[in-house]
Amino acid sequence: MKQTLLATSLSRALLCAVMLPASYQAAAQSVETPDAGNSAEGMDARQDAKQLDTVVVQGEIAYRNRTLDIEPVLSYDLEYFQRFEPNTVGDMVKRVPGVGFVGSDVMEFDGAQLRGLAGGYTQVLINGKKVPGAGDDRSFWVDRIPAEMVDRIEILRSNSANRSGDAVAGAINIILRDAYAFDGHYIRVGVNRWFDGEVNPTFGAVTSGEALGGRVLAGVNVQDRYRRKDKRSDRFTDPSKEELASWEDQVEVKDGRDYSANFSYTVDVGETGRLGIDAFYVKTDRDVTEVSYEEEYDDGDVITADVPGLAIVDQKNWGAGLEYRFGMAGGITELDLDHARFADNSFEREEEHVYENGDWDESEGEAEYIDAKDAETSFKIAHMRSLGAAGMEFGVDYRDKERDVTYAFFEWEAENEGDPVVYQPDSIIGSVIEERRVDPYIQFNGQAGILAWEAGLRYETTRSRIRYSEDGDVEGSARKDYNELLPSMHLRWDVTDADRINLSLARSIKRPNFNEMIPALLDGEFGDNDYIGNPQLDPETANGIDLGWEHRLGRKGVIGINFFYRDVKDLIEVVNTGAPSEEMLDTWEEMVEDGEAASIEEAMTAEPADSWVFTSANIGDGKVWGAEFDLSTPLSAFGLDNTGVFLNYSWVDSKIDDFLGERRFNNQAKSVFNIGFIQDLPALAASFGVTYRKQGDAYERILGEEVTVRYGDDLEAFVEKRFGNRISVRLSAANLLDASKDEFFHKFDTLGDQTDRDYDEYELETEEAGPSYQMVMRWSF
């Protein structure tokens, strides 16, 4: 079976036993886990390829895996999620403990957040490897990967030395299907119907078997992606809501198609070698149309506006890797070469046609074109071997990254009502960020009776270069280098055959967001305040502890609880540079031109600055803590072997200090709760189930704005009918409670206004979408 970079040294020892000659197998016995062959525990030790018809027609309810890993890992096979027919990885991970989504639109799950921390604190891996994504905070949108490409999802709660340390909140590892683990063929055909009557098809196919002297797996997936939401905004002069300043109605429709494919080839080489090649490709084509109507009240005048908008999204993610493992010098040597790339060629425009008391006043528009390329190439060499009663792994990771982003801005203004919309170029802003990393590591592991341990050190070196240009001219460049030592230690105590305690201590890192590093001045970025990036930022680091208990319930069930704490150093927050904003400079120049002041200095005295240029800086420390509970079990104790229940609850809290004082980490949902059941009806070859999800409120405070985000309850259900061992048909329904997303905005012009609570505007915004239904047929052949 293909192993990933996230496999612990324990699972590597099991691989050694499969690949090496008998003489080495005897030496490796000391680091094997005695119960590796147990089906409930030995998921990473299985050798027989899973028949794909078991994926198509599930004879039993699937539960969370109980893994052999020494570090704390939660593992969920695709079958755990599949009966609710998720379309994307986002639809899958929303059901697992501790994963929140703040900022996503209704019925969308893109920016995953572990422990409630922003996407940049959560590492997303594909097959154990880092991939570039769209987010300026280095996040990866998990809704880009279709569920049909996935073998399993792993939640890695703590760091280990043999993988990248930039995962303060933890990591989500998306394991794609590979040729060594699956055998067979199937197709998936389905149709989605949305609450507004729109109907969209979906299609997928997977084949796997022996070919080219080894094993090959190939899969394709095409699915139409459609979302409609209705949005209402009411804006008041202050939170008392006594005076309505304006309101807006908007209909937004996202209509597009995603294409994806994955490929895996595995072949044994000689007596001990195994070569693996894997690749994936995802393309998103999407049109986003907005139709808005606004009405504003100003001293008895009624100002209305029609605001049409269009965004054309063209994004691609792809990656390819080569992995070769072979026996050498009494151990196993691994060579990995990978390249992954993200490309975004998207266009967005918005016009505004304004009428005052029914008469045309003005028409104008803005447009933006994005040309973004983010590429990462990595190479790894590692060696694993037995050292008496212990195991050792050491190696080095090399990574080269280049992120090249260009924004082209256009504008249009009409002289008369009905003039054609013809955009003219305004400005072009570009940035290039290059990072080169060389990260050596060493890791040891062992087992003594009921205790298993793992300890390691990783030294991450980062060399970065930032260049910024405007209208083709280089306006600035900078270099920044930093190094961090990241120790980690994990302990697993098998108290009984059913009870296990895990303890993890690890140091992790969060590199600065890309937009925080670019030294470009953004006029009016925060109310009347400007912003300029800081290329000399240091990374944030965190010392973390996880303590968990897990209990096996019967043969399949698992219950567990985990407590975690993160002490974050060198937090990056927005601070005042002390320089006046462009608006203040313009005000003083106008005062001199109008004769209100004899000089700029006199104007500054007469009209003191109240808006400034802000930047990002390392300002201090923060703390994050919480508890995570999960239950996944059949109700066999009550004689209900065919009833499975699922429940998880995560509670999180945090503390940092910003420009106004103490608050939580921005956009940290206070809790995430999931509960559901599946009822199998063997006599009827059918099943049905329901899941319910509730995410707690989240709060964000930035300069000039404070926002509370609240999501409604999410209810999903399915019913399934199986026909023999080859065909299944499922009807699933999502958003049965018509969940809404409600946002409460407190807006201010300056820092002084925010401190004094002198409001520019208070806004209530609600977006809603109705239920959707999906009918899917799977056929194995």
Side-chain angles (χ1 to χ4, degrees):
M1 184 181 92
K2 177 181 176 183
Q3 299 288 312
T4 72
L5 296 182
L6 291 176
T8 62
S9 50
L10 175 60
S11 60
R12 296 187 190 279
L14 292 170
L15 181 65
C16 294
V18 175
M19 297 176 62
L20 292 183
S23 59
Y24 180 71
Q25 291 184 29
Q29 290 295 321
S30 60
V31 292
E32 286 190 8
T33 298
D35 60 356
N38 187 302
S39 61
E41 299 258 339
M43 55 161 290
D44 284 328
R46 61 194 174 193
Q47 298 303 312
D48 296 329
K50 181 190 298 184
Q51 296 296 313
L52 281 174
D53 57 10
T54 64
V55 177
V56 172
V57 181
Q58 294 177 239
E60 296 182 346
I61 302 171
Y63 301 92
R64 172 165 79 82
N65 301 316
R66 197 167 188 250
T67 75
L68 287 171
D69 302 286
I70 301 175
E71 60 176 319
V73 177
L74 303 183
S75 179
Y76 301 86
D77 286 345
L78 173 63
E79 293 90 325
Y80 178 88
F81 311 96
Q82 192 180 86
R83 282 174 160 164
F84 291 91
E85 287 295 345
N87 287 309
T88 71
V89 168
D91 295 331
M92 299 167 73
V93 300
K94 71 178 184 180
R95 306 180 193 278
V96 305
V99 180
F101 292 86
V102 176
S104 298
D105 291 348
V106 171
M107 297 184 71
E108 295 193 39
F109 303 91
D110 44 23
Q113 299 170 266
L114 281 170
R115 276 70 189 268
L117 298 182
Y121 292 92
T122 298
Q123 185 181 76
V124 176
L125 307 169
I126 296 180
N127 290 339
K129 303 164 187 176
K130 285 175 56 64
V131 287
D136 278 329
D137 60 354
R138 302 173 183 263
S139 61
F140 180 87
W141 292 343
V142 293
D143 71 336
R144 292 297 185 264
I145 304 297
E148 288 304 303
M149 292 172 59
V150 176
D151 173 22
R152 66 184 185 275
I153 299 291
E154 295 178 342
I155 304 299
L156 311 169
R157 286 174 160 167
S158 185
N159 285 350
S160 282
N162 62 349
R163 69 171 186 272
S164 179
D166 43 352
V168 171
I172 299 172
N173 189 19
I174 305 165
I175 307 295
L176 304 183
R177 291 174 175 168
D178 69 79
Y180 194 66
F182 289 93
D183 187 65
H185 327 272
Y186 81 86
I187 61 173
R188 175 183 185 266
V189 180
V191 63
N192 294 280
R193 187 184 189 282
W194 306 94
F195 72 97
D196 61 352
E198 181 76 13
V199 177
N200 307 116
T202 180
F203 171 81
V206 177
T207 182
S208 181
E210 295 184 1
L212 305 176
R215 294 190 58 82
V216 172
L217 179 142
V220 296
N221 190 271
V222 180
Q223 58 182 9
D224 282 9
R225 300 283 297 277
Y226 180 88
R227 291 287 189 274
R228 171 183 165 166
K229 66 177 183 181
D230 300 322
K231 182 186 291 186
R232 169 77 182 197
S233 298
D234 290 292
R235 308 179 184 107
F236 302 88
T237 55
D238 58 52
S240 69
K241 297 189 288 187
E242 294 178 355
E243 182 180 347
L244 179 66
S246 66
W247 58 269
E248 176 184 359
D249 279 333
Q250 181 187 96
V251 176
E252 179 190 275
V253 175
K254 297 180 180 179
D255 193 0
R257 178 170 293 168
D258 285 1
Y259 307 85
S260 60
N262 67 305
F263 172 82
S264 170
Y265 172 67
T266 304
V267 61
D268 292 334
V269 180
E271 294 184 4
T272 65
R274 176 164 292 155
L275 174 69
I277 300 172
D278 61 80
F280 73 92
Y281 174 83
V282 178
K283 175 178 171 60
T284 298
D285 287 332
R286 187 173 302 165
D287 291 342
V288 184
T289 57
E290 294 181 355
V291 179
S292 298
Y293 177 81
E294 300 179 12
E295 190 165 290
E296 179 181 355
Y297 310 107
D298 183 19
D299 294 331
D301 294 324
V302 178
I303 302 169
T304 61
D306 295 318
V307 187
L310 172 66
I312 301 173
V313 179
D314 179 5
Q315 296 179 339
K316 304 178 186 69
N317 276 96
W318 65 268
L322 183 149
E323 178 183 276
Y324 181 50
R325 297 190 178 198
F326 58 95
M328 186 185 77
I332 288 288
T333 296
E334 171 190 323
L335 302 175
D336 286 318
L337 177 63
D338 298 281
H339 180 79
R341 184 178 291 266
F342 169 78
D344 187 358
N345 298 101
S346 299
F347 176 79
E348 182 176 359
R349 72 167 190 255
E350 183 179 89
E351 287 94 41
E352 184 178 38
H353 306 277
V354 181
Y355 300 83
E356 185 172 339
N357 299 320
D359 297 324
W360 179 80
D361 184 47
E362 62 178 357
S363 293
E364 59 185 10
E366 295 181 343
E368 175 183 290
Y369 173 73
I370 301 174
D371 181 10
K373 301 179 182 66
D374 195 332
E376 294 190 15
T377 300
S378 64
F379 175 74
K380 174 180 177 178
I381 181 170
H383 183 74
M384 295 141 293
R385 62 184 303 108
S386 174
L387 292 178
M392 178 179 70
E393 176 182 346
F394 60 91
V396 60
D397 287 329
Y398 169 84
R399 182 174 300 276
D400 188 81
K401 179 183 184 69
E402 180 174 321
R403 183 179 177 91
D404 188 344
V405 182
T406 300
Y407 295 93
F409 299 96
F410 304 84
E411 60 182 10
W412 163 76
E413 185 173 357
E415 295 183 1
N416 302 289
E417 184 179 9
D419 283 354
V421 179
V422 180
Y423 281 97
Q424 300 295 325
D426 182 24
S427 63
I428 298 176
I429 296 176
S431 64
V432 178
I433 298 176
E434 299 171 322
E435 288 183 345
R436 182 166 297 172
R437 291 170 50 185
V438 180
D439 304 337
Y441 72 89
I442 187 168
Q443 179 175 289
F444 298 91
N445 72 90
Q447 184 161 347
I450 61 175
L451 293 176
W453 58 272
E454 176 186 294
L457 287 173
R458 183 181 185 90
Y459 187 64
E460 296 200 348
T461 67
T462 305
R463 307 287 180 265
S464 61
R465 182 183 179 188
I466 302 100
R467 297 193 304 275
Y468 162 67
S469 63
E470 188 168 345
D471 296 328
D473 297 325
V474 176
E475 298 292 334
S477 63
R479 290 180 178 271
K480 176 65 176 178
D481 301 339
Y482 50 86
N483 309 314
E484 295 291 342
L485 181 65
L486 306 178
S488 61
M489 183 183 72
H490 309 288
L491 176 67
R492 191 190 73 204
W493 179 19
D494 294 318
V495 182
T496 68
D497 290 341
D499 292 282
R500 171 190 301 174
I501 293 176
N502 285 86
L503 173 65
S504 295
L505 303 170
R507 191 165 188 254
S508 52
I509 184 174
K510 179 190 179 298
R511 290 170 171 80
N513 298 349
F514 296 121
N515 55 338
E516 294 172 337
M517 302 165 60
I518 300 171
L521 182 66
L522 304 179
D523 185 13
E525 181 71 4
F526 299 108
D528 293 339
N529 301 285
D530 303 339
Y531 176 82
I532 188 169
N534 178 7
Q536 297 305 315
L537 288 169
D538 290 323
E540 300 178 11
T541 59
N543 296 318
I545 180 171
D546 283 81
L547 176 63
W549 166 79
E550 187 176 275
H551 176 72
R552 182 189 294 171
L553 298 170
R555 189 170 63 90
K556 300 178 181 179
V558 177
I559 184 173
I561 187 167
N562 185 74
F563 302 94
F564 70 90
Y565 177 82
R566 298 290 186 271
D567 185 9
V568 185
K569 304 294 185 183
D570 294 323
L571 274 172
I572 297 174
E573 288 287 328
V574 172
V575 299
N576 193 343
T577 66
S581 68
E582 290 291 314
E583 180 171 303
M584 289 307 310
L585 294 176
D586 291 343
T587 298
W588 293 331
E589 289 176 358
E590 290 175 2
M591 291 174 65
V592 173
E593 292 174 359
D594 295 341
E596 299 177 17
S599 64
I600 293 292
E601 290 74 16
E602 186 176 319
M604 293 172 64
T605 302
E607 184 78 25
D610 61 1
S611 60
W612 312 89
V613 177
F614 283 75
T615 190
S616 294
N618 300 100
I619 63 157
D621 303 337
K623 295 173 173 53
V624 187
W625 63 91
E628 301 155 322
F629 170 83
D630 78 291
L631 170 70
S632 170
T633 184
L635 296 182
S636 302
F638 302 96
L640 302 173
D641 290 336
N642 296 313
T643 304
V645 296
F646 313 89
L647 183 150
N648 60 70
Y649 178 78
S650 300
W651 169 84
V652 295
D653 203 352
S654 60
K655 176 184 175 182
I656 69 170
D657 290 315
D658 66 3
F659 55 91
L660 283 183
E662 184 180 308
R663 63 165 168 82
R664 298 161 61 95
F665 272 72
N666 277 336
N667 286 324
Q668 183 187 48
K670 296 179 179 179
S671 61
V672 179
F673 174 64
N674 283 280
I675 187 170
F677 76 91
I678 294 176
Q679 177 65 53
D680 198 17
L681 305 170
L684 300 177
S687 59
F688 63 92
V690 174
T691 65
Y692 169 86
R693 183 178 188 273
K694 177 63 177 177
Q695 180 173 287
D697 292 356
Y699 173 77
E700 178 185 34
R701 181 165 69 202
I702 60 176
L703 182 63
E705 187 172 273
E706 300 168 20
V707 188
T708 298
V709 183
R710 179 176 300 150
Y711 288 88
D713 302 356
D714 185 14
L715 181 67
E716 300 185 12
F718 83 92
V719 61
E720 171 193 72
K721 173 61 179 172
R722 304 182 290 274
F723 300 91
N725 297 323
R726 299 292 182 181
I727 297 176
S728 69
V729 177
R730 295 190 185 108
L731 172 65
S732 58
N735 195 34
L736 290 172
L737 297 179
D738 295 341
S740 66
K741 175 187 177 185
D742 302 314
E743 297 180 87
F744 308 84
F745 295 88
H746 304 254
K747 301 179 182 180
F748 309 91
D749 287 328
T750 66
L751 176 59
D753 290 345
Q754 193 167 1
T755 303
D756 298 336
R757 314 311 287 174
D758 184 4
Y759 279 79
D760 173 57
E761 186 175 84
Y762 176 72
E763 179 179 1
L764 304 178
E765 182 178 286
T766 297
E767 62 181 54
E768 296 178 321
S772 66
Y773 304 92
Q774 182 175 210
M775 178 74 78
V776 171
M777 183 193 75
R778 295 172 182 269
W779 174 35
S780 173
F781 58 94

